[in-house]
Amino acid sequence: MSAFTALNVEPDEFPEDDFDNTREIQIEEALKLYQIALKLHAQGPAYFEQAAAAYEALFKSDIFKYSDSITEFARLEEHPDAGYDVGLSYSLEVDLAAIGSDGSPSTLPQVLYLAYKNHGQFIVDCLKHQIRSEGIVSDGRVRPQAELALEKFSQALARDESDTELWRRAARIGALLGSERIARYCLEAAVEVDDDPTQAVVEPANLEEGFAGMQLKEHLEVLSDNVALSHPIMAPYNEKTMSSRLKHYMDPYPFLPQHPLTVTSDETSQPSSIHLTVEVSERSWHALGDALLKACLSTPSDCAGVQIHLPGMDTDMIEIDNSSQRAENDQQTSSSPSKEVNPDPCNSSTAYADEINDDGSVDESAAQIQAEQEAMSQSRKRSQSAAGIQGTPDEENATQKRSKRIRNRDTTGPEGIPLDPNAQYKDQYLECTRADSVTFEFINTILDKLEIPNYGTVQDLQDIMSSENLANCKSPQDVAVGDLRDILNDWDETKAAALQAGNNADILASSRGSSGVGLAAFLEHSKTGLQRPSTQPPMPPADGIGKFVSVINEQWLPLQDVILEYFKAVQPSYRQNFWTEAMKYTVVQLMSSIDSALFRHLQEDVHHSRKGSIDIDVLLKSEYLGQMLFELHLDLYASITNPGSRVDLITRTMEKERVARWAMFASDLAQGRVADIEDELSLRYLWAAAFFASTTEDVSRDHVLSCWSDLQNILHDANDITIKLQNNVAMPEISASAAEREVSRLTTTDFFLNLFQSEDADPFAIIETLEPVLDPIAPDGSDDPESAVPNEDGEENSTAEVSSSVPDSLRDMWKFLQGGSASLRLFLWQRLREAYQNVGYMTKVFSCHLKSIEIIVGDLTSAAYADSATDTRQHTLLTWLKTLDDLLVKALTLALNEQTAFDAIDLVHVRSTATCLAQLSRLLHGATLFEDNVTVGSRQIPRTPVYSTHGPWGALLARLREMQVRCWALSYTILKEGMAQCRELFPTRDSDLADYMAVVHYSLGLRKMCKISNKIFLKMMKVELIRLKSVERIDDFLGQVLFDLYGLRLGVGVFELADHGCPVESLDRRTAFSISEMVIGRANQMSVKDLLKAEIRPTIEKMQQIIGAARSTPQMQHNLRNYTDYLKTSINPLRMIQASKGQVFVDSLPVSSPESPLAAKGWYFLLGMMALTKFRSQKKIAPGATDDLRVAATFFRLQLQFTSERWETWYRLAQCFDAELEEEVLWTADKLNSNRSPLVQLQRSSIHCYIMAMSTAMRGADSSFETSSKLSDMYHDFGLRVYSSSREPFAMEAFYLDDFQRHFSGAQGMYKKFAHPEMSRYRAWRYAASLFTRAAVEKPNFWFNHYMLGKCLWKMFTRGDEQEVEVDVKRPTMQMVLVAFEKAIETVPKPKDTRADPMLEPHYKLMSVVHKLVQFRILPPQEAADLLQRQPFAIRKGESIEIPTLESWKGFILESIRHVRHADKATWHHRMISRVAHILFDDNNPNVDQAVEARAELKDSMFTRTMVLNVWKPEFERPGRHCVYTERYARFMIRLLGILNDKANMELFAKRIRKRQADLYHCVEVWTECCLTYCGLIRNEGQIQSRQDEIIKAHTQEEVVSVGEMLGEWLRTPGNSHPVCAFMKEADELHKLNNKLMNQKPNPVEELIGDCFATMFVDVGINLPRPTPPAPPPVAPVVEPRQRGPMSLNNLVSNMDDTSEPPAIPVAVEAPPRPRYKSASKRDILRAAEAILTKAPEALRPIANIATRPRGSDAARAVASKSRSPAAAAAPSGDNNTSVANEEESKNNNEGDKDGESSEEGSLHDSADDESDTSDVPEPEDVEPEMTFPNLAPPRKTESPGQQCNADEAPKSEG
């Protein structure tokens, strides 16, 4: 059957875009099922059945049947023969499994993983519910559920093996099932144990991994799997313990039954006769002694026997004694101190370190066992690599990281060799290394010139810091660097305690009671000096220990005998080897614990030996052991009796008795010994006896001194033998020199005791006492200090002999100090420093601080320090570093703040201090390199709390960084003094100092260390760089410093600013003043426009905020008052002439205030220039704020108050006045028309400022090119100001003297007169011409100078109305005028782009001038034509044209101007349009044709069809000139409309003028002229005679009012109308529009209204029938009684006694008088006319010519609103819109006219503003039907003021 194909179905062109979304739908359905099951699971046991059903439905989904949903392990179980296929394998990572073969969504692996995991958890939760509800559940019910849960967990782990918590759960279930193999495997996977044994120790990433590690540790300890426990991954768990609070949460399922792990052993236990077994933690003598000490303290003394159990004894190892070979190796390695002994044997990294011999060989049995253990561990590993599965690479789109086990393999090479991390991070700190090299090389150059040992190279320092031992230390100075590296690298709590312990104030004798510290230093350290170990190697930790234990275990000795044998075994190492601190502590504790038993045993041995029952060798061993115990007791007694010891008295007394007992025992042994003088044991006894005598109170000092003197002689006789006892601090060295030091100590004891115990002694006495001892130069005046001063390292200068004049006591003190400790010398110098400080001698205080630094650094770089033990060196280094930190702070404070600090510092002192500071800087820089290595990762430190940056380790690093910064700063001050004393060696001293600070700053900045130590180096560098002003690149150096300190930017320099990580602090006033000169200099290097956009602008503003307003002083007020009065004075022409000679002055006083230095540098002038430039650079499209302008003027005035002779300040202040004046007249003519006084004052102020600028420039301006250019600009602006003030709209008012008359006294008495003659226009033009001439000298190519010069010459040539004698004499010639304009045309710049408009001002001006010259008959037409044809815009390509007559000239000039107009594409130059119109219209003989041509010319570009004056402001038009031009154009158009009798356009134009009166100069006059012309047009069209109202005045007021009402009623009658009514309506609207603006008397508009009413009154009103008023009723004469007054006759003749009222006498009353005739007034006529217009219907208006009637529509208005210029759209409109609104309401009544006629479009009845100013009238077919009769349409809303068109809103121009 053929397939059917639908015709209306188009086949798909891309069928491959179709895809099957069935898989996605199935995944979504499975995800919904999973969410349902999870929700039911979370709701608790009540929903477990439903949850089980939901999980069952979930696992029945199709997604679990996908091929990529089945793991490779399951596939291999189903098909064993298939093999492993990488392409089909399922990824073990969830994020990688998300991408299937068919592009399945990433939610599939997540659904699989979460489904299995949560299902397994659901099973465990069900089991938990059963256990809690039913109690103990049988194993038969628990096991199936546990197995099922484990299966689900395994399925989830197969899909994501990085879930640590899930591994722990699986391990717990495996342990529940009894499979310890599964439990161990899961725990190993949880902690991610790798196969690589070189893997570094890694801290657990989270708490779950920590729980797993601790569980695995317990598991392995039960199994005794030491090999697995020794793996690096297990190191954190072996070293630490889990908190008891956290252990509560270690079991993930605590409700499950516990199955403890037990291991049975078939080994037989020891017999019951063993009462004590000593378990030793490791194979070492120290551990054995520690175990014996613990047993001794916890075991009864009556134990039958002791068995010692060492680690590894069960392996039947065979120990080989290689003591002889080891001794040889020790002798070979003894010369190098590079091999150090670990002080803590517990930190051994391998369990079989005991089996490694000193020669590097490994015992065969140990190696075999270790290999077996490694093989066993390999068989137990079940990592992914061991299973043969390839690791999954990372994917860029992976959303989950790989497991740590897989990621750790990235750190190994292709062959399993670990990659070198240093190679990866070497490039990261290359820049820091380069900076360090530059710093070291530069400073070494300075040090070499001063003959000071330099720093060396950075590479040597890096080699020391990168090594792990002291092998790279080439000199003793490098040992301290290596020690500092070891301290930072092997940090522990002991070092932290040493860092935090101690008080620097006590060490430096700066606290109360410090004399005790000095005394302790004298008594403790000065007697023996620094402990110097010999070259003996350290004690082997386990040499012979196996054999010793075997012998002990065979003999079954009691515990005390075992300890005695232990002492005999370690006794040879006391003399031959160096003990660790832990070893010595154990020996001393054991010795003190069983002291009596030891003493008794040794006594018995000696007693038996003397009887001959014991071999002589045994006796010798007992003697050596007894001497060792005696010396150790002496050492212990000396340590607990020193002044700083806090041991109680009971312990001291007990130890004293023990020492005495052992002294007697040693004496007994020595007396019975026969030996020669060089016998070591005898010499040791003699020294110990002498030392014991010195510690006994009841022994006299003379006896002790004799003992030491005799011992010194004995040692000399014994060939100056030297015995080193490295394990005894009290007597580390037995030699003649040591004995001599003891003698010297005893002889100087009184001196130092008196010194230390006199706290309140006289400081002068202390100075006199200590200065000869510490500074031998002072007493004898020796020039060679080395001849008397001992070296700082304690070695006496053998080549120099002390002068014989020095007393013996002083010489003994020097000797004592030579052998004394650094602490004692340091204390003496600090004691001397306190005395100097008390007397206020600060330079010596500073010197003492420097000497103290020299002592400490000398001690750290001495050979004695290098020979000390490692622990001692590190402790000493930490102690001295703390002291040095305090000394550096104090010394640097004095060096920077005390001016007399270096008064007593000579060159020798400078060199010694600089040497020590160089060594100290090198030491501290080693810590910086160490931190660099840690930062970039080349050196790994353990991730433990001990190495926390917030702990002691971080505090040490922070202190070292601060010390380094302070050391750099102090070194700078010392080198600066040294360079000042050796000026001949440093010709560029300032430059070298600046470079020193720059290189150090760069090195510190790279490491973000500039902020350290309160930014002390930056602050010092700031002060120094400000002082070094003449150094090259000082701006760059200081710019970086200011950026680091305050965030200030000084602009672009040679170097870019780098972020050094310094927190920004607030700028202070002092710094702002100090950097002002540099900031001003940097700002003056760029233009002000660029300055506003530069980075330095915020800096200047911030500085001004900090500096604040200048405080006014009386002098400043005086100056300001004088300047203000000067600016208000009149303009004297004589002063203008004197200004050109520099003879104009303003009285001012010098000002002295804190801001005077700023003003002298021009700070306020700079601020004013910034504000002025900001205002002038703003694009002006509307009136804006002048705040910036006023701010600029304020700063300029402030600058003048300080410095009145800065000519540019006067010049810029004048520009401020000019800008303010421009802003006042640019947008509106209101102030020009109403308030001209402020404008006049601004002009006067500007001219006065120009006069002062010119005068001061003549006196003090320099002759640089930049100044010359500015002077040219000043001349140009001054000339332009004078010329503008002489022309409209300013009209010379600034030069008027009307308000400046002064009183004079003369022969006639007091009279008023002007103080000086007034400036005339001609003189103003001549002065302006001279200024433009000066400006053109410096800028001859600036066309505007020549252009304005030509205009001035032209005005002078035409003379205006000047009537002066010198006019004819100095009048410029015509040729001068023409040459000036031709020069302007030559220099005018050409357009850079063809699309740009050219500058047409000089071209048009030349045409205008030439045309006027031709009109004046001064220039022949032909010459004029030839001149114009030579110009660039000549017509007809400049060909010669003959112009014989004036008539032909008119056509030529019109063609020429129109040719230039053609280049004005934007029609900005309105003057050319006006000129053409005036040429077409003859003012002397006007006619209608000329008026039509002129109006057509104007309406083409200048006036719109709705009579809107639309002109633009050209670029170079002077401010205020635009409103003058608009006035002229308005008057000209009014005249043209009057000639043309165009009342319709006149009506529109009248409305425009009234609404935009602010755009016109002399707006009242223009409006008056407009009203007169408009009224004349109305009269002409309506044939209304004037003075018709005289007829009405013959009638009475009542009659006029009555006739007016009748006329209104008559006009309401249909069919009645009068043609004058419409004209009266127009006149009335004009009257409302006038709104009293035109104040002409009589008012022509009112006259017109009256004439219109009179015409209607005569024509109609008289003939209207008047209603007859009703006749009033006749009134009879009323006789009223006559009023009687007091003198009435009736009163006189009446009875005086009668009280009754007299009768009234009737009197006849006359008729009221006839009312006086009152004629109608003009007000009555207007009121009657208004009544007519109110009552009458809408009158018909005359229909204008349809061709001239403007038409418009809404569409046309919309187009017009879009095409209207921005300037016109933003122009404000007039306020007098009341009449317009009224006429809008009256338009609605026009719809009822019978004749169907409407009022004329564009009349006063319409809002013609809605039409466009620039758009054309639409065609009739484009007009909407309803708008054909606009008066029938609804009234339109009046435009808002913002929509009115403004003629002067255009770019600035000059006419």
Side-chain angles (χ1 to χ4, degrees), residues 1496-1512:
E1497 188 70 25
L1498 293 177
K1499 294 195 69 174
D1500 285 345
S1501 301
M1502 191 176 296
F1503 287 87
T1504 64
R1505 296 179 182 271
T1506 56
M1507 296 306 296
V1508 176
L1509 179 59
N1510 186 18
V1511 293
W1512 295 83

Side-chain angles (χ1 to χ4, degrees), residues 131-184:
I131 294 176
R132 289 185 175 181
S133 60
E134 302 178 8
I136 300 177
V137 183
S138 62
D139 186 67
R141 297 182 59 185
V142 172
R143 177 171 291 274
Q145 297 188 41
E147 292 177 352
L148 183 58
L150 183 61
E151 179 185 357
K152 298 301 180 181
F153 285 160
S154 63
Q155 290 287 343
L157 289 171
R159 288 160 175 82
D160 184 10
E161 64 176 9
S162 62
D163 192 342
T164 305
E165 176 62 17
L166 192 56
W167 281 113
R168 293 181 61 243
R169 296 179 187 179
R172 182 66 176 89
I173 299 299
L176 177 64
L177 296 175
S179 176
E180 304 302 335
R181 178 184 293 270
I182 294 178
R184 174 174 178 174

Side-chain angles (χ1 to χ4, degrees), residues 30 137 257 260 279 554 581 929 933 955 1026 1374 1385 1429 1602 1762:
V137 183
E279 295 288 343
E554 291 176 358
E581 293 293 334
L929 296 180
N933 295 333
I1026 293 174
M1374 178 190 67
I1385 294 176
Q1429 287 298 101
S1602 175
K1762 296 180 180 179

Side-chain angles (χ1 to χ4, degrees), residues 139-287:
D139 186 67
R141 297 182 59 185
V142 172
R143 177 171 291 274
Q145 297 188 41
E147 292 177 352
L148 183 58
L150 183 61
E151 179 185 357
K152 298 301 180 181
F153 285 160
S154 63
Q155 290 287 343
L157 289 171
R159 288 160 175 82
D160 184 10
E161 64 176 9
S162 62
D163 192 342
T164 305
E165 176 62 17
L166 192 56
W167 281 113
R168 293 181 61 243
R169 296 179 187 179
R172 182 66 176 89
I173 299 299
L176 177 64
L177 296 175
S179 176
E180 304 302 335
R181 178 184 293 270
I182 294 178
R184 174 174 178 174
Y185 172 76
C186 293
L187 292 176
E188 288 178 351
V191 298
E192 297 185 348
V193 179
D194 204 357
D195 298 334
D196 188 3
T198 64
Q199 178 63 37
V201 177
V202 179
E203 291 293 324
N206 48 46
L207 188 59
E208 299 298 336
E209 189 172 336
F211 283 151
M214 297 306 295
Q215 288 177 323
L216 181 60
K217 173 187 174 183
E218 295 176 357
H219 198 94
L220 296 177
E221 287 177 349
V222 173
L223 297 176
S224 298
D225 192 349
N226 295 329
V227 176
L229 286 171
S230 65
H231 196 280
I233 290 294
M234 298 301 299
Y237 311 109
N238 294 330
E239 297 174 358
K240 300 178 182 180
T241 59
M242 181 69 70
S243 173
S244 58
R245 295 183 179 181
L246 294 178
K247 284 184 178 180
H248 179 68
Y249 303 97
M250 187 179 296
D251 189 356
Y253 299 129
F255 54 86
L256 292 180
Q258 297 290 339
H259 290 270
L261 179 64
T262 57
V263 178
T264 59
S265 176
D266 296 335
E267 298 178 359
T268 59
S269 59
Q270 295 292 340
S272 58
S273 59
I274 299 178
H275 293 81
L276 177 62
T277 301
V278 178
E279 295 288 343
V280 183
S281 60
E282 64 177 10
R283 296 177 63 85
S284 66
W285 289 106
H286 163 258

Side-chain angles (χ1 to χ4, degrees), residues 384-449:
Q384 185 176 351
S385 58
I389 302 176
Q390 297 182 357
T392 307
D394 286 332
E395 297 287 345
E396 295 181 358
N397 298 329
T399 58
Q400 187 175 358
K401 67 178 183 180
R402 300 175 301 165
S403 63
K404 191 183 299 182
R405 180 187 301 185
I406 299 175
R407 284 183 280 112
N408 286 339
R409 295 196 181 99
D410 295 338
T411 60
T412 58
E415 298 181 358
I417 302 176
L419 298 176
D420 184 10
N422 295 330
Q424 300 178 7
Y425 300 111
K426 185 177 181 180
D427 297 335
Q428 297 185 15
Y429 61 98
L430 184 61
E431 187 176 1
C432 294
T433 304
R434 189 182 299 108
D436 294 341
S437 300
V438 173
T439 304
F440 276 40
E441 290 175 2
F442 179 80
I443 300 179
N444 287 341
T445 304
I446 298 178
L447 296 178
D448 293 340
K449 291 182 180 180

Side-chain angles (χ1 to χ4, degrees), residues 1303-1345:
H1303 292 275
F1304 294 90
S1305 62
Q1308 301 94 2
M1310 296 294 296
Y1311 63 93
K1312 295 178 67 176
K1313 182 183 177 182
F1314 298 129
H1316 56 81
E1318 189 176 81
M1319 173 73 77
S1320 64
R1321 290 200 301 172
Y1322 187 87
R1323 290 179 180 177
W1325 293 335
R1326 185 174 60 188
Y1327 191 80
S1330 65
L1331 292 174
F1332 287 123
T1333 303
R1334 289 191 177 194
V1337 172
E1338 293 296 335
K1339 291 186 177 181
N1341 294 326
F1342 184 40
W1343 69 273
F1344 203 51
N1345 287 329

